[in-house]
């Protein structure tokens, strides 16, 4: 945090105290169920900075994921805000959660990221000038002036941490959760981050942070301590009472010893046979429970964790505004991404010239028909690999951003889905069109307007299909696995395209498969555009050419004449199907992370 900067972010008008009661969280199936949180309760107060301490595997991050609303499946218990059980929708509007490793769009600057966050998280009635003021204030208090216009991929670890805090701060949340905000930072940067969190708490917010082995200097910034061990609460109270409470339970802290290290050392020795620690946990649970208001908890059911409800719109802006903002952001990121923009466009042009010169003038020569057929399948193979593999290598990172932002109530799934399709589509079409015109002309195909358009139509549809294919793979699989899954999963469709083995030569068990092969519709469509629709005889440089008549070409490939529009329909059905699969994949990815 920069020095001598006045905090101008608005104070929280109404203090928000958070109480959680009997929270349980388990994973796995019933026979092999693992309980990560075991009827844990506690209270976090507004205006105070709380540290969650505990050994590795104690359940600190799990507790934060549950309290933030990011984990909902397998959870039971109650969350009470100011003695009121509220619904999931209202709760998500109150809470901001910054995970340990916050993924950022690499080609967007901090200033732009904050502006997009403000546009998405603040109501439209707040004018643009007011949003600019808020963004400038956040940049100032977080000390991001020097890197405000630097792309996120060039930021240091501390700058990324502060930017992630700022993106949540623009909406002025009342409850803020942080998961190990100092991980990967040096002592100076760590102190700056925690100092800023302290300032946020002093403004009336409820600020809670998981902290891993803080120094004595860092620990002094916290007001309250919450110690977790084996999914249960070992201690909750002020920092000043920490050593006294442990001493009363029989644990003496050596003089001049780091209190955090002392607590972690005791907590790491926990097992159910340790009577002193078990008694301390029980006493802590009883003390927390007696301090709570039971009226609400008695009226709630055992599984009423973040109940559903209807309290107005879920998002602060309309669907159309979400779509427009996300489209602008995606377009900006695409333009600045060499792999998605320039390499893809120039790659299409470069490969177009290479293939065009290799297959020079094969399109009009009857003696080179077999080479021209190979040229047609090669066109499709390059289109699918060039368009699917580029997005499959970049989309997994965006998926992490999408999951975090959607769970933080930035926008709806459908707004992101359509913005992603619309923003990337022009660049895909531009690359495919340039590639098509180059290879079509250099290979000596028939220069008739209708055939050029028909040829381009198949290439454009196949590029569209390829892009969706890559997006789906990037959505479902990791960045390590998806580059392997994509080419392997394409092989069956390529095998039944009609190029490697003709349709009527297939055994009966395989004959239905060409009907579901997108390569079959693409390949047949290009053959129909090239040789179908009453094309005249081909020229021949030799004395005898078997394929002088184009009907012989179709017969050799066992293709029925005039099936071009059937192939267009087949590709269109595939595209519609993949659109549905992509949307369902986004929904599945969200549900899987719950």
């Amino acid at each position: 945090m920069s020095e001598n900067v006045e905090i101008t972010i608005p104070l929280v008008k109404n203090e928000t105290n958070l109480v959680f009661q009997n929270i349980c969280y388990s994973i796995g199936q019933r026979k092999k169920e693992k309980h990560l949180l075991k009827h844990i309760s506690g209270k976090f107060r507004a205006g105070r900075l709380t540290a969650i301490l505990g050994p590795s595997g104690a359940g600190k991050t799990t507790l934060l994921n549950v309290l933030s609303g990011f984990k909902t499946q397998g959870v039971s218990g109650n969350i009470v805000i100011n003695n009121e059980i509220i619904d999931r929708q209202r709760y998500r509007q109150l809470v901001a959660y910054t995970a340990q490793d916050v993924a950022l769009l690499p080609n967007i600057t901090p200033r732009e990221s904050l502006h997009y966050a403000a546009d998405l998280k603040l109501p439209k009635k707040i004018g643009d000038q007011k949003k600019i003021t808020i963004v400038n204030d956040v940049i100032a208090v977080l000390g991001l002036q020097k890197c405000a216009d630097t792309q996120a991929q060039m930021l240091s670890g501390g700058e990324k941490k502060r930017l992630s805090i700022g993106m949540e701060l623009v909406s002025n949340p009342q409850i803020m959760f942080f998961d190990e905000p100092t991980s990967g930072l040096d002592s100076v940067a760590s102190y700056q981050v925690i100092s800023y969190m302290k300032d946020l708490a002093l403004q009336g917010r409820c600020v809670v942070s998981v902290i891993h082995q803080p120094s004595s200097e860092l620990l002094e910034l916290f007001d309250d301590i919450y110690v977790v061990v084996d999914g249960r609460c070992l201690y909750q109270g002020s920092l000043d009472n920490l050593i006294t409470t442990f001493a009363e339970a029989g644990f003496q802290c050596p003089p001049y010893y780091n209190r955090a290290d002392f607590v972690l050392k005791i907590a790491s020795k926990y097992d159910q046979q340790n009577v002193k620690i078990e008694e301390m946990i029980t006493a802590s649970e009883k003390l927390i429970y007696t301090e709570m208001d039971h009226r609400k908890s008695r009226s709630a059911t055992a599984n009423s964790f973040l109940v559903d409800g209807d309290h107005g719109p879920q998002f602060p802006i309309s669907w159309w505004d979400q779509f427009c903002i996300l489209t602008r952001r995606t377009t900006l990121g695409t333009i600045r991404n060499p792999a998605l923009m320039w390499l893809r466009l120039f790659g299409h042009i470069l490969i177009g010239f290479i293939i065009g010169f290799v297959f020079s003038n094969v399109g009009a020569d009857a003696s080179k028909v077999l080479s021209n057929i190979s040229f047609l399948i090669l066109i499709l193979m390059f289109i699918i690999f060039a368009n699917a593999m580029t997005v499959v290598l970049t989309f997994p990172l965006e998926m992490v951003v999408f999951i975090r932002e959607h769970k933080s109530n930035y926008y709806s799934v459908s707004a992101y889905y359509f913005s992603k399709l619309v923003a990337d589509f022009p660049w895909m079409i531009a690359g495919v069109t340039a590639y098509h015109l180059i290879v079509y002309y250099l290979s000596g195909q028939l220069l008739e307007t209708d055939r050029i358009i028909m040829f381009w139509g198949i290439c454009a549809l196949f590029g569209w299909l390829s892009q969706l294919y890559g997006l789906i793979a990037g959505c479902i699989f990791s960045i390590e696995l998806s580059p392997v899954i994509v080419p392997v999963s394409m092989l069956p469709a390529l095998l039944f395209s009609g190029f490697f083995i003709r349709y009527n030569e297939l055994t009966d068990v395989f004959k239905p498969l060409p009907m579901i092969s997108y390569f079959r519709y693409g390949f047949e469509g290009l053959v129909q555009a090239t040789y179908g629709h009453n094309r005249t005889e081909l020229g021949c440089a030799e004395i005898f050419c078997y394929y002088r008549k184009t009907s012989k070409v179709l017969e050799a490939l066992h293709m029925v004449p005039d099936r071009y529009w059937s192939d267009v329909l087949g590709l269109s059905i595939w595209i519609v199907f993949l659109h549905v699969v992509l949307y369902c994949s986004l929904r599945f990815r969200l549900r899987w992370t719950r």
Side-chain angles (χ1 to χ4, degrees):
M1 182 174 66
S2 59
E3 298 180 355
N4 301 323
V5 177
E6 181 182 358
I7 303 265
T8 55
I9 303 301
L11 296 174
V12 175
K13 296 181 180 179
N14 300 316
E15 291 190 350
T16 302
N17 297 309
L18 183 147
V19 174
F20 53 99
Q21 303 168 320
N22 296 320
I23 298 294
C24 296
Y25 175 66
S26 59
I27 58 175
Q29 299 176 348
R30 291 184 178 179
K31 292 183 179 180
K32 296 182 179 180
E33 201 170 44
K34 183 178 181 180
H35 299 276
L36 301 181
L37 299 178
K38 305 170 182 178
H39 298 282
I40 192 170
S41 300
K43 180 178 181 179
F44 299 137
R45 292 180 289 174
R48 297 179 70 83
L49 178 60
T50 302
I52 299 180
L53 298 176
S56 298
K60 306 184 297 297
T61 298
T62 301
L63 176 62
L64 222 58
N65 284 331
V66 169
L67 294 181
S68 64
F70 274 44
K71 291 288 185 184
T72 56
Q73 288 186 342
V75 180
S76 64
N78 301 317
I79 291 183
V80 181
I81 302 295
N82 293 341
N83 293 329
E84 178 188 359
I85 295 179
I86 65 173
D87 62 87
R88 180 180 290 106
Q89 185 169 311
R90 280 185 59 199
Y91 186 75
R92 289 177 64 181
Q93 293 170 350
L94 293 174
V95 172
Y97 177 41
T98 302
Q100 180 177 350
D101 297 316
V102 176
L104 301 170
L105 295 174
N107 304 303
I108 305 297
T109 68
R111 190 184 303 278
E112 292 163 347
S113 295
L114 292 171
H115 274 295
Y116 286 125
D119 288 338
L120 289 166
K121 300 194 74 174
L122 296 177
K124 198 172 183 180
K125 63 182 180 181
I126 298 180
D128 291 339
Q129 191 58 48
K130 178 64 175 177
K131 292 178 182 178
I132 292 173
T133 301
I134 292 173
V135 168
N136 291 335
D137 288 344
V138 171
I139 290 174
V141 298
L142 288 174
L144 294 172
Q145 297 95 326
K146 293 182 179 180
C147 63
D149 299 307
T150 303
Q151 292 184 18
Q153 59 189 345
M154 305 298 292
L155 300 179
S156 66
E159 290 167 342
K160 290 180 179 179
K161 294 280 186 181
R162 283 177 279 159
L163 174 58
S164 64
I165 295 174
M167 291 175 65
E168 299 299 333
L169 187 61
V170 293
S171 61
N172 197 25
Q174 298 182 40
I175 302 171
M176 302 190 76
F177 293 115
F178 299 90
D179 185 16
E180 298 195 24
T182 61
S183 64
L185 304 183
D186 57 38
S187 58
V188 175
S190 297
Y191 193 86
Q192 289 176 341
V193 170
I194 301 301
S195 296
Y196 180 62
M197 290 165 55
K198 177 77 170 182
D199 291 334
L200 296 178
L202 291 175
Q203 294 173 40
R205 295 179 181 84
C206 177
V207 183
V208 183
S209 175
V210 169
I211 196 76
H212 183 66
Q213 290 186 320
S215 64
S216 296
E217 184 184 28
L218 209 60
L219 191 65
E220 288 294 333
L221 293 173
F222 290 91
D223 302 300
D224 295 327
I225 303 297
Y226 190 93
V227 183
V228 181
V229 56
D230 193 34
R232 301 168 70 188
C233 178
L234 177 64
Y235 171 82
Q236 171 166 342
S238 67
L239 176 63
D240 297 334
N241 296 331
L242 180 67
I243 298 302
T244 304
T245 303
F246 273 81
E248 292 174 352
F251 301 103
Q252 296 294 331
C253 180
Y256 311 110
Y257 200 83
N258 185 331
R259 287 175 285 182
D261 291 341
F262 167 71
V263 169
L264 291 173
K265 185 176 181 180
I266 299 300
S268 63
K269 296 178 180 179
Y270 169 78
D271 60 60
Q272 293 182 349
Q273 306 302 320
N274 194 320
V275 178
K276 285 186 177 181
I277 297 181
E278 190 67 30
E279 289 178 351
M280 190 174 178
I281 292 175
T282 304
S284 177
E285 291 173 344
K286 288 182 179 179
L287 180 62
I288 292 171
Y289 191 70
T290 55
E291 292 178 349
M292 293 178 181
D293 183 357
H294 304 305
R295 291 172 297 173
K296 295 298 178 179
S297 61
R298 281 198 297 265
S299 65
T301 62
N303 293 313
S304 61
F305 175 76
L306 293 184
V307 295
D308 293 323
D310 184 12
H311 291 272
Q314 179 179 353
F315 304 101
I317 60 176
S318 67
W319 184 95
W320 177 253
D321 289 330
Q322 296 172 36
F323 167 76
C324 293
I325 294 167
L326 290 172
T327 301
R328 291 202 309 269
R329 187 179 73 173
T330 304
T331 302
L332 180 62
T334 301
I335 292 173
R336 292 178 180 171
N337 189 328
L340 279 178
M341 178 64 178
W342 305 113
L343 291 181
R344 182 167 60 174
L345 180 59
F346 291 142
H348 278 79
I349 295 174
L350 176 62
I351 299 300
F353 276 111
I354 293 174
I355 294 177
F357 283 125
V358 170
F359 289 89
S360 179
N361 297 318
V362 299
D365 194 337
S367 64
K368 300 178 181 178
V369 163
L370 297 181
S371 296
N372 199 39
I373 296 298
S374 301
F375 162 76
L376 298 180
I377 197 69
L378 182 60
I379 285 179
L380 297 178
M381 292 176 66
F382 173 76
I383 288 176
I384 197 166
F385 279 101
N387 290 280
M389 295 305 294
T390 48
V391 295
V392 85
L393 293 173
T394 57
F395 196 50
L397 176 60
E398 291 190 29
M399 276 303 304
V400 180
V401 177
F402 159 70
I403 292 171
R404 172 179 60 83
E405 292 182 338
H406 175 73
K407 287 188 174 183
S408 297
N409 239 38
Y410 278 62
Y411 45 75
S412 66
V413 177
S414 58
Y416 174 80
Y417 166 78
F418 283 106
S419 70
K420 186 65 182 174
L421 295 177
V422 170
D424 284 347
F425 189 79
W427 313 117
M428 180 276 296
I429 287 295
V432 170
T433 301
Y435 173 70
H436 155 257
L437 293 176
I438 293 170
V439 297
Y440 193 92
Y441 177 78
L442 292 179
S443 63
Q445 308 300 325
L446 192 60
L447 296 179
E448 294 179 354
T449 303
D450 57 342
R451 293 189 185 277
I452 295 174
I453 295 174
M454 291 167 65
F455 202 100
W456 174 85
I458 296 295
C459 292
L461 288 173
F462 211 74
W464 191 356
L465 181 148
S466 305
Q467 188 177 52
L468 289 169
Y469 202 88
L471 289 173
I472 292 170
C475 178
I476 297 177
F477 304 104
S478 66
I479 196 169
E480 296 83 12
L481 190 59
S482 52
V484 179
I485 294 293
V486 169
V488 171
S489 61
M490 290 177 184
L491 289 178
L494 181 60
L495 180 62
F496 295 105
S497 63
F499 174 78
F500 298 99
I501 182 170
R502 293 175 293 184
Y503 305 139
N504 66 343
E505 294 174 350
L506 292 168
T507 58
D508 292 340
V509 68
F510 292 121
K511 282 186 176 179
L513 296 182
M515 298 298 296
I516 58 173
S517 169
Y518 46 86
F519 261 105
R520 176 261 173 94
Y521 295 112
F523 177 60
E524 188 178 63
L526 291 184
V527 171
Q528 296 285 345
T530 304
Y531 296 110
H533 292 269
N534 302 316
R535 180 174 178 176
T536 56
E537 292 185 354
L538 302 175
C540 184
E542 300 178 0
I543 299 175
F544 173 76
C545 290
Y546 179 79
Y547 293 112
R548 184 185 294 273
K549 292 185 177 180
T550 55
S551 59
K552 295 291 184 179
V553 179
L554 298 178
E555 290 176 5
L557 295 173
H558 295 175
M559 292 183 181
V560 179
D562 300 328
R563 275 187 49 88
Y564 176 82
W565 294 110
S566 298
D567 297 320
V568 169
L569 178 62
L571 288 176
S572 301
I573 292 173
W574 259 104
I575 290 171
V576 171
F577 171 72
L578 292 179
H579 273 102
V580 175
V581 172
L582 177 59
Y583 184 80
C584 293
S585 299
L586 291 173
R587 286 288 187 184
F588 170 77
R589 189 67 181 268
L590 286 173
R591 182 174 293 274
W592 183 51
T593 57
R594 290 173 58 187

